[in-house]
Amino acid sequence: MAQSRQCPPTEMERSMEKIITIFQRYSGKEGNQATMNFKEFENFMKTELCSFTKNQKDPNVLQKMMNSVDGGIDGKRDQQLDFQEFLNLIGGMMVACNDALAKCPPTQKNPVPTSPPTEMESAMESIIRCFQHYAGKKGDMNQMNYMEFEAFMKTELKSFTHNQKDPNIVRKMMESVDGTVDGKQDRQLNFQEFMNMIGGIMVGCHAALMKHLKRV
Ligand SMILES: [Ca+2]
Ligand SMILES: [Ca+2]
């Protein structure tokens, strides 16, 4: 996403970039720059997701959350979260938020927040709202069909789709995640499948950034 581009980034692109930057800000504090150790993760959760963290009664919740994804990608339960493991965790929280919002009557969809959202919270919320906006255009309000997905990709991720030479890239991307969560290859993406796709793009961007940082 950091490549040269003619048009200003969309809100979706800015939100994805922001999540990468925030991860980088905390993972880069000590040790391995590309992974978060527990201290870095705790710092991230207490600062960026404080409204979630302060409502938890279990004093070990952060350690448990970290354990729930540690090793899920790299197979190593080394108390280090790589970016994709981190995204699995954040994605899980976003799926819960999306479900809660989808169940909530429309009049309550904009609850007055008690404190202003952090940068991370705004980024997560804007990705959820973007999904709901496109998924809600036709048919099942909680699923993106191919037309909705194509409209999303061509509008919100245009700097990505613009650079692709394969004219079938959008269809192939949809097929690559369709059914990975609900088991149904029905040309409908639910939010979690959508997040797997977005996460894949973000992991690619993060890897490119790490490579770039190693060179400078
Ligand atoms: Ca680190
Ligand atoms: Ca739909």
Side-chain angles (χ1 to χ4, degrees):
M1 278 177 290
Q3 298 101 331
S4 63
R5 66 181 149 231
Q6 274 74 46
C7 42
T10 63
E11 196 182 338
M12 183 71 195
E13 289 165 339
R14 272 204 308 272
S15 303
M16 288 163 71
E17 229 168 81
K18 217 187 269 176
I19 292 177
I20 297 172
T21 313
I22 294 170
F23 176 81
Q24 188 59 33
R25 190 186 301 156
Y26 288 86
S27 69
K29 283 190 200 288
E30 50 184 73
N32 188 333
Q33 300 284 301
T35 61
M36 270 189 190
N37 63 23
F38 182 68
K39 212 171 113 193
E40 290 166 330
F41 174 64
E42 190 178 34
N43 196 343
F44 160 79
M45 288 299 292
K46 290 193 168 162
T47 314
E48 301 295 335
L49 296 182
C50 48
S51 58
F52 169 85
T53 312
K54 72 167 189 268
N55 287 327
Q56 302 299 315
K57 293 201 180 69
D58 181 350
N60 297 319
V61 67
L62 295 182
Q63 185 63 62
K64 285 179 186 164
M65 285 178 79
M66 181 157 180
N67 291 350
S68 75
V69 287
D70 183 23
I73 301 296
D74 63 10
K76 290 179 287 191
R77 298 183 75 91
D78 52 4
Q79 294 290 306
Q80 295 276 350
L81 295 187
D82 70 19
F83 184 57
Q84 185 153 11
E85 289 167 345
F86 170 81
L87 279 184
N88 286 354
L89 192 103
I90 296 302
M93 294 175 83
M94 287 168 72
V95 168
C97 287
N98 180 61
D99 291 350
L101 277 175
K103 280 193 199 99
C104 182
T107 49
Q108 290 171 24
K109 281 198 176 172
N110 290 299
V112 181
T114 44
S115 53
T118 63
E119 245 188 312
M120 184 72 192
E121 287 164 342
S122 325
M124 287 163 72
E125 192 186 330
S126 103
I127 293 175
I128 294 171
R129 290 196 188 279
C130 192
F131 173 82
Q132 290 181 338
H133 174 73
Y134 286 89
K137 284 184 190 291
K138 266 195 168 180
D140 189 331
M141 306 289 281
N142 298 311
Q143 304 250 15
M144 266 190 195
N145 66 19
Y146 182 72
M147 297 282 283
E148 290 166 331
F149 180 65
E150 193 180 29
F152 163 79
M153 288 299 291
K154 293 200 164 155
T155 314
E156 303 299 333
L157 295 186
K158 56 182 184 293
S159 65
F160 175 83
T161 39
H162 195 72
N163 289 327
Q164 305 295 321
K165 295 205 176 66
D166 182 348
N168 296 317
I169 185 75
V170 172
R171 186 176 51 79
K172 285 182 184 163
M173 288 185 80
M174 180 162 192
E175 284 169 357
S176 76
V177 288
D178 185 19
T180 53
V181 176
D182 64 10
K184 288 180 286 191
Q185 293 194 339
D186 51 3
R187 291 170 71 81
Q188 296 269 4
L189 297 189
N190 66 21
F191 182 65
Q192 195 164 353
E193 290 168 341
F194 170 80
M195 278 306 295
N196 288 352
M197 207 269 322
I198 295 300
I201 297 178
M202 287 168 70
V203 166
C205 293
H206 178 254
L209 176 70
M210 291 316 294
K211 229 169 147 183
H212 173 74
L213 290 178
K214 260 183 203 153
R215 274 203 306 264
V216 291

